[in-house]
Amino acid sequence: MPFLGQDWRSPGWRWVKTEDGWKRCEAFSPALEGGNNQLNDISHTVILTGDDEDEEIYSTEDCEFAAKKRKKDHCRNNTDSQCFYREKWIYVHKESTRERHGYCTLGEAFNRLDFSSAIQDIRRFNYVVKLLQLIAKSQLTSLSGAAQKNYFNILDKIVRKVMEDQYNPRLIKDLLQDLSSTLCILIRGVGKSVLVGNINIWICRLETILLWQQQLKNLQMNKQVNSGLTLSDLPLHMLNNILYRFSDGWDIITLGQVTPTLYMLSEDRQLWKKLCQYHFAEKQFCRHLILSEKGHIDWKLMYFALQKYYPIKEQYGDTLHFCRHCSILFWKDTGHPCTASDPNTCLMPVSPQHFIDLFKF
């Protein structure tokens, strides 16, 4: 036995044999590895202080203790890196077995899947924001202290990205509104121990959220000066084709406010009919029929009425995937150590709500 533990067949860690016995090899981020090497070098040096007559020589043990303390502080203060894992996947298991001991939590998955880097990818940005919104609504108290810290670090990066790139501010406003509402309710119930951590920390976080909301409210969209081809210069059939590509009614309304031509195209009954048929079933139409003054079905009002009662289909450029063969959750382009003969047949895309449901016990 190279090590002692509750799992006699190794939980997946790498072990290295040293003179003092077997030691577990933990994978840190490349940025930390460089810092660790510098800290390790300190432990092998002799520190001289004062004048030549009063020089004080520290023992190697003291240097090693100081190096370990600096390394620990460096890990704690490193807020740029979300986690210290090289693998961007996690094994999802809901029961304890001889092969794997313990359970996979939402906070553990949140730390392991590298959402901090995912928000930099425009294909995954909306997916991560929607996932944060669902966690804010119902699963915030399920996160551990470390996961909560990562949650707000990622949220801070999202707000900064929106302020710099002005990308989809409406989505972030909805997220912050849901998060502030949830925190107000949870802070009032602090006597029931519903929050992990000091109440003053949560009050500071709530104040930060309110500050972000004010910054987004005052956000001014930069007007790009371009003498080339603009959206208004496109022919009508191309503009109409663009509108038919949208899956969100608010995006259609926003685009229709750009020019009178786009407004005319955005009010097309056939456009809103296609949008309703994409998101909702026909039997749902019969329960919420809305007729115009001329006796025709008002598909635009129908869409927003049905949206209040039924969930709409969600579209994302890229999502997390779940391997049914390995029970591993991962980003598709990063891959995972699959043992199936044909891995592509085992993959299943995971929506943000499905991600939350995977960790409900």
Side-chain angles (χ1 to χ4, degrees), residues 223-290:
K223 293 183 178 180
Q224 297 182 355
V225 179
N226 189 359
S227 57
L229 189 67
T230 63
L231 188 65
S232 303
D233 297 327
L234 297 177
L236 289 179
H237 73 275
M238 293 185 66
L239 293 176
N240 196 44
N241 193 20
I242 291 174
L243 286 170
Y244 271 85
R245 300 289 180 178
F246 285 105
S247 61
D248 191 332
W250 285 110
D251 291 336
I252 295 176
I253 292 178
T254 303
L255 185 59
Q257 296 173 351
V258 177
T259 63
T261 302
L262 287 171
Y263 175 77
M264 177 191 66
L265 295 176
S266 66
E267 293 294 319
D268 183 21
R269 291 180 61 253
Q270 191 66 21
L271 171 66
W272 290 99
K273 180 180 179 180
K274 291 289 186 181
L275 193 63
C276 289
Q277 291 175 341
Y278 173 75
H279 287 289
F280 310 105
E282 291 185 6
K283 60 181 180 180
Q284 296 172 342
F285 299 159
C286 302
R287 301 175 184 175
H288 305 278
L289 277 178
I290 300 178

Side-chain angles (χ1 to χ4, degrees), residues 139 232 239 296 352 357:
Q139 300 296 321
S232 303
L239 293 176
H296 302 295
D357 296 337

Side-chain angles (χ1 to χ4, degrees), residues 185-221:
I185 296 173
L186 294 178
I187 289 175
R188 295 193 191 102
V190 70
K192 302 178 182 179
S193 301
V194 294
L195 290 172
V196 177
N198 191 288
I199 182 62
N200 294 324
I201 296 177
W202 287 100
I203 293 177
C204 291
R205 286 173 175 171
L206 181 58
E207 292 175 351
T208 303
I209 293 171
L210 296 177
L211 177 62
W212 286 339
Q213 288 179 311
Q214 187 63 36
Q215 291 175 349
L216 291 173
K217 184 178 180 180
N218 299 331
L219 179 64
Q220 297 292 332
M221 305 299 288

Side-chain angles (χ1 to χ4, degrees), residues 168-179:
N168 209 342
R170 177 171 57 86
L171 191 64
I172 313 304
K173 290 179 182 179
D174 294 340
L175 166 60
L176 294 179
Q177 180 61 40
D178 292 336
L179 184 57

Side-chain angles (χ1 to χ4, degrees), residues 46-108:
V46 178
I47 303 176
L48 301 178
T49 59
D51 300 332
D52 294 340
E53 298 179 356
D54 300 329
E55 64 183 18
E56 182 178 358
I57 302 177
Y58 293 94
S59 63
T60 305
E61 294 181 357
D62 294 335
C63 294
E64 289 179 355
F65 176 79
K68 290 180 180 179
K69 187 176 185 303
R70 290 190 186 95
K71 187 186 300 184
K72 187 175 182 180
D73 294 339
H74 182 70
C75 293
R76 286 181 175 177
N77 297 330
N78 185 16
T79 57
D80 293 335
S81 59
Q82 178 192 354
C83 57
F84 307 129
Y85 300 97
R86 288 175 179 170
E87 298 84 2
K88 302 300 187 294
W89 52 266
I90 185 169
Y91 181 84
V92 180
H93 52 108
K94 295 188 177 183
E95 58 184 8
S96 182
T97 64
R98 296 192 67 181
E99 290 79 8
R100 294 183 178 272
H101 179 76
Y103 300 88
C104 179
T105 63
L106 176 62
E108 184 182 357

